[in-house]
Amino acid sequence: MREQIIKLLHQRGDLPPFPDLLIQLKKLLDKPDVSIPELIKIIELDAALVGKILKLANSAFYSSSVSAISSISLAVMKLGLIKIKHLIYSLELSELFTDNRILDYKQFWEHSIAVANFTEQVATYIHASREVQDKAYMAGLMHDVGIMVFAYLIPKQYSEFLKHVEDTEETLEKQELAYFQIDHQELGYLFIQKWWHVNEQI
């Protein structure tokens, strides 16, 4: 089963690519002299994204201000580039794999974003550099993507597997390994390496 899954991963042409907006964002933020107006211009090309960012920026989790954040430029000023980057990554990646019928993708990404925030906080707590904190967030956000890849590549088999997952002390990945000879952690790694080309440390 393992070889069949890996073969599908490399042959299927319909797996979600890394969003174009995130590619543009990465190129821009990798520059030593980031242009804020250029960043705002990229974000404002997507009206739906603007609305989502402002909604999240004004939520209790992100905003400590009593006054509402009413524009992207104000959001960037108040939250900073890293937080804006995290918001965009979270919003863009959560739009992927939405057509899967096995898993609740909304719940899946809510969990992933929660883990991303937690891993970033852990990195902050141990006084890691800002770069490491950023990578910790991204790693947390992507840590379970292999589950979605399983559901995408072999929906019938993974659905059947989930029906028989036992509520035991055995982890999900151990049960996947016994059933498919590959777990979602390795599959997620192979998927990201093949299709998303993010930083190897992530």
Side-chain angles (χ1 to χ4, degrees):
M1 194 68 172
R2 173 188 171 85
E3 296 309 316
Q4 180 191 342
I5 292 168
I6 293 174
K7 188 176 179 182
L8 279 172
L9 177 69
H10 287 274
Q11 288 182 343
R12 286 279 291 268
D14 57 345
L15 281 159
F18 205 56
D20 287 340
L21 179 67
L22 297 187
I23 293 171
Q24 293 179 53
L25 181 69
K26 185 178 182 304
K27 284 180 182 175
L28 183 64
L29 293 178
D30 281 349
K31 294 179 182 176
D33 51 342
V34 179
S35 165
I36 302 300
E38 195 178 344
L39 171 66
I40 292 167
K41 192 176 177 181
I42 290 172
I43 297 170
E44 287 179 338
L45 289 173
D46 189 333
L49 179 63
V50 169
K52 288 175 184 175
I53 288 174
L54 293 179
K55 183 179 177 181
L56 276 175
N58 282 296
S59 70
F61 187 85
Y62 284 104
S63 180
S64 58
S65 172
V66 290
S67 57
I69 297 173
S70 56
S71 68
I72 289 298
S73 56
L74 194 56
V76 173
M77 275 190 347
K78 291 223 173 183
L79 300 180
L81 286 175
I82 298 296
K83 280 294 177 195
I84 288 294
K85 176 186 175 182
H86 290 174
L87 278 175
I88 295 171
Y89 265 77
S90 301
L91 291 167
E92 287 294 299
L93 293 185
S94 65
E95 293 297 316
L96 304 180
F97 297 104
T98 55
D99 58 350
N100 113 84
R101 296 177 185 178
I102 299 172
L103 303 164
D104 182 336
Y105 82 91
K106 185 178 177 184
Q107 187 180 54
F108 172 86
W109 286 111
E110 282 176 354
H111 165 75
S112 298
I113 290 167
V115 171
N117 284 311
F118 178 73
T119 51
E120 182 188 28
Q121 287 170 26
V122 170
T124 304
Y125 180 76
I126 63 169
H127 306 294
S129 67
R130 183 64 258 186
E131 183 185 359
V132 170
Q133 291 172 37
D134 183 37
K135 286 175 181 171
Y137 181 93
M138 295 302 171
L141 187 62
M142 299 177 191
H143 81 287
D144 268 346
V145 74
I147 293 174
M148 281 294 184
V149 178
F150 259 129
Y152 203 82
L153 290 176
I154 50 168
K156 287 182 182 177
Q157 296 97 319
Y158 201 66
S159 177
E160 193 62 30
F161 162 75
L162 290 176
K163 286 177 190 174
H164 297 94
V165 167
E166 297 178 17
D167 187 17
T168 67
E169 290 184 7
E170 285 242 313
T171 61
L172 176 64
E173 51 269 25
K174 278 189 179 179
Q175 293 182 65
E176 287 168 340
L177 202 54
Y179 199 93
F180 300 109
Q181 294 81 55
I182 187 170
D183 60 32
H184 70 268
Q185 295 174 335
E186 184 183 1
L187 186 60
Y189 168 76
L190 293 173
F191 166 73
I192 292 170
Q193 186 184 51
K194 167 74 176 174
W195 294 98
W196 283 4
H197 308 292
V198 298
N199 184 286
E200 180 68 18
Q201 286 181 308
I202 295 172

